[in-house]
Amino acid sequence: MLELHDAPLAPLTTFRLGGPAARLITATTDAEVVAAVRDADAAGTPLLLIGGGSNLVIGDKGFAGTALRIATEGFSLDGTTLELAAGEVWTDAVARTVEAGLAGIECLAGIPGSAGATPIQNVGAYGQEVSSTISEVIAYDRKTGETVTLTNAECAFSYRHSRFKADPDRHVVLRVRFELEDANGLSAPVKYAETARTLGVEPGDRVPLTDARETVLKLRAGKGMVLDPEDHDTWSAGSFFTNPILTDEAFAAFHARVRERLGADAVPPAYPAGEGHTKTSAAWLIDKSGFTKGYGTGPARISTKHTLALTNRGEASTEDLLTLAREVVAGVHDAFGITLVNEPVTVGVSL
């Protein structure tokens, strides 16, 4: 294992923000990951796990403990079963499954980060979520001191949530297994309306895998959601807020606020989210509250390509970013009575 002290963490995040860690360990095998976690736990040292750094907001003061960078490698295909080491680059893994002719995660192309983070957040985009293909997660259980295998059901997946996110200090993901589909070179049924429209097909249709992946990459790039070191719109964590899920009663109250603010004929986005619940769009809420693309005058601003992304224009601090985020949260609440929830994990800071 590589060990550094007073080590910068900002370069390990897509925001490029945050102070140093007192100690940074880079682990390249599962055994090294487990050993580092056990050592930290035995010593009572605070532990921060870092994968691709695409979902982290680290405070300007840094982390006064051990940061463990999980850099394990491993890509294995056995028929339609895929196993990924936690440190595998997610977007590269997606590309390899498409090349192998297997469907199920092709619309998750271009998402930055590591494979081990995908079950934690139940990563999803463009009509797909990893929960629909994950069969098992192999993790180190810090409570029992054992390596365990959790089934899909045991992961308790829901929208951008899982048992790992609900209890973040218990499990360290080591490997993720997926059950993909051999559809003779075709994608899974296209579910997302924008993707189907761009492809010129109807929702539910299948298309060649490469077409699905390339279309999603183009859509993401157009919104600044594909990493590019030269493009400050990608110096972000992607979507900064989750789409709110409201009860029927709360949605009715929200709809009334929308008509009051935007006119009697105004209709907010609404998507079924289980019995008695409706999901609406965080991006729509932000925009209609007056925070348009490119909003801001400081070093942290809303992306010029997508209102849901908060960005570092190159000289921002974490406090600059949080100031902007708090302004957006307050503005949306004032306008529509909905409190947005941040999607990235915050370390040493909070909204």
Side-chain angles (χ1 to χ4, degrees), residues 11 72 80-81 88 101 120 141 149 153 198 233-235 238 244 246 248 338:
T72 53
T80 57
T81 300
E88 280 289 322
I120 298 171
D141 187 336
T149 299
T198 304
D233 278 333
T234 74
W235 289 32
L246 308 175
D248 289 344
I338 291 176

Side-chain angles (χ1 to χ4, degrees), residues 73-77 82-85 88 92-94 96-97 100 175:
E73 297 180 355
F75 178 102
S76 173
L77 267 177
L82 169 68
E83 181 174 298
L84 296 176
E88 280 289 322
D92 292 347
V94 173
R96 292 178 70 176
T97 65
R175 294 184 173 267

Side-chain angles (χ1 to χ4, degrees), residues 123-201:
V123 165
Y126 294 96
Q128 289 183 343
E129 287 183 329
V130 292
S131 58
S132 65
T133 52
I134 287 177
S135 57
E136 295 176 329
V137 174
I138 297 90
Y140 174 67
D141 187 336
R142 297 169 69 182
K143 182 176 181 180
T144 65
E146 298 177 346
T147 297
V148 297
T149 299
L150 302 171
T151 66
N152 182 289
E154 289 172 328
C155 293
F157 291 120
S158 59
Y159 173 67
R160 301 297 176 270
H161 202 69
S162 69
R163 73 178 296 168
F164 309 109
K165 189 172 181 180
D167 190 2
D169 295 328
R170 178 162 182 179
H171 291 98
V172 179
V173 175
L174 300 175
R175 294 184 173 267
V176 188
R177 293 186 182 130
F178 301 80
E179 192 57 42
L180 304 178
E181 178 188 9
D182 185 349
N184 296 315
L186 296 179
S187 69
V190 177
K191 295 181 180 179
Y192 199 67
E194 183 183 21
T195 312
R197 187 167 57 249
T198 304
L199 285 162
V201 300

